[in-house]
Amino acid sequence: MTLAQKRPASPRLSNSFISSLKKQFPDLIPPAIAIAIFLILWQLFAWTPGATLPGPIQVIQDTWVLILWPFYDRGGIDKGLFWQILASLQRVAISYTLAAIVGIGLGILIGVNRTMSKALDPIFQLLRTVPPLAWVPISLAALRQNEPAALFVIFITAIWPILINTAVGVTQIPQDYNNVAKVLQLSRKEYFTNILIPAALPYIFTGLRIAIGLAWLAIIAAEIVMSGIVGIGFFIWDAYQNNNVSEVILALVYIGVVGLLLDKAMGWLQNKILPAEQK
C-alpha cells in the first residue's frame, strides 16, 4: 500500500492569498514597507563606527522588560509605560475637554459679534504664538503645583485652534442661510441649533483635530520640566538623566503611536458626525 505524498502548496493558492491580502489591506502595505526600510537604515546607521544612538535591535534588548510588562507598579513614579501614558492621557482629556468647551463658546461669540472680534483678535493672535514650554514657568508661578500647572499648559495650548477655527466657521456661514432664518423668523436658539452649529461644524472639527495633537504635544513638554509626577514626559526626562537612551527611544515610539491613534479617533468621530456633503 502506497502512501499518498503531500503535494506542495500550489503557486496559484499562494498568489490568491497575497491578492486577497492586498485587497483587504491596501493601505497597510506601503507604510509597512516604509517602516521596514526605516528600521533597516536606522540599524545600519547604529552599526557605523562612532554612532552613539542604539539601533532597534539594541533598543528591544535593553527595554524588553518594559515592553513585556507595561502594567507593573512599584509605587511612586516607578510605574510601567501603560500607567505613565494613562496618567498623561488623563491630563490631556481633562484640559482638552475644557479647551473645547471654552474654545467653541468663545469662537461662536467672536464669530457673531464683530466688535468683540476686533477687540480680542490682537490678544488671541499674540497668545497663540507662545510655545507650550514658555507657559510652564508662568503656570508654576501662578498655580504653585505641578498638576494644575500641567493642566493649564495643555489647556492654553489646545484652545487656540479650536477658538480660531470656530470663529472662522461662524463668519463663513452663507448669507442665504441667514436670510432664510430671518424669513422664517427663527428664534436665537433655533438659529444656533439649526443653522449656525451645523454650518460651522466642519471648521469646529478641524480645530478639534489640530488641538488634540497640540494637547498631546503640550503634556509631554509640561511633564518633562515638571519633576516628580507620573507621566510619559517625566519618564523620558528621568530616563535621559539616567543615560537610558533606549528607554527614551521606546517612549518616543509609544508617544508617536498614541498621537496617531488620537488623531485617527478624532477623524473617525468627524466622519460619523458630519453629514456626507460636509466631509
Side-chain angles (χ1 to χ4, degrees):
M1 182 177 180
T2 60
L3 295 176
Q5 294 182 351
K6 186 178 180 181
R7 295 183 180 180
S10 173
R12 293 182 179 179
L13 182 60
S14 177
N15 292 335
S16 63
F17 174 76
I18 295 175
S19 299
S20 62
L21 192 63
K22 288 182 178 180
K23 291 180 181 179
Q24 293 178 0
F25 306 104
D27 297 332
L28 295 180
I29 295 177
I33 295 175
I35 292 174
I37 294 174
F38 170 76
L39 293 176
I40 292 172
L41 293 176
W42 176 14
Q43 185 61 57
L44 292 176
F45 174 79
W47 281 334
T48 58
T52 56
L53 288 178
I57 296 177
Q58 184 179 346
V59 169
I60 294 175
Q61 290 175 343
D62 294 341
T63 62
W64 66 274
V65 174
L66 292 174
I67 297 173
L68 295 180
W69 287 281
F71 301 102
Y72 79 85
D73 186 353
R74 300 192 183 106
I77 60 174
D78 189 7
K79 301 179 185 294
L81 284 174
F82 173 82
W83 304 112
Q84 304 283 355
I85 292 175
L86 181 63
S88 297
L89 284 174
Q90 288 174 342
R91 297 185 183 102
V92 169
I94 294 171
S95 296
Y96 178 76
T97 302
L98 292 175
I101 295 172
V102 176
I104 293 174
L106 282 178
I108 293 174
L109 178 63
I110 293 172
V112 299
N113 192 318
R114 292 176 178 259
T115 303
M116 188 74 70
S117 177
K118 292 179 181 180
L120 297 179
D121 184 69
I123 299 176
F124 291 160
Q125 295 299 331
L126 175 67
L127 294 178
R128 77 180 184 87
T129 59
V130 178
L133 277 176
W135 288 107
V136 173
I138 299 296
S139 61
L140 284 173
L143 300 173
R144 302 289 181 179
Q145 294 181 357
N146 286 344
E147 191 68 26
L151 295 177
F152 174 78
V153 171
I154 307 169
F155 170 84
I156 201 67
T157 304
I159 191 174
W160 306 120
I162 302 173
L163 190 155
I164 293 173
N165 278 275
T166 301
V168 171
V170 173
T171 58
Q172 295 296 319
I173 295 176
Q175 187 59 38
D176 292 342
Y177 290 8
N178 295 326
N179 295 335
V180 170
K182 292 179 181 178
V183 171
L184 296 177
Q185 296 181 348
L186 297 180
S187 64
R188 186 176 294 273
K189 179 181 178 181
E190 291 173 335
Y191 174 77
F192 270 69
T193 57
N194 297 326
I195 292 182
L196 188 146
I197 296 298
L201 206 54
Y203 293 88
I204 294 174
F205 266 107
T206 299
L208 291 172
R209 194 165 182 178
I210 297 173
I212 192 66
L214 292 178
W216 184 237
L217 178 149
I219 188 57
I220 302 305
E223 289 176 350
I224 284 178
V225 296
M226 293 177 178
S227 60
I229 61 175
V230 178
I232 191 65
F234 179 71
F235 175 87
I236 290 175
W237 183 247
D238 185 61
Y240 171 74
Q241 293 292 325
N242 292 290
N243 201 29
N244 295 324
V245 182
S246 294
E247 293 185 5
V248 174
I249 295 176
L250 178 65
L252 292 178
V253 173
Y254 275 71
I255 290 170
V257 171
V258 172
L260 177 63
L261 293 177
L262 290 175
D263 180 74
K264 294 298 182 182
M266 186 58 63
W268 176 84
L269 184 63
Q270 180 178 356
N271 289 331
K272 287 294 183 181
I273 293 179
L274 285 181
E277 63 273 8
Q278 289 183 314
K279 293 178 183 179

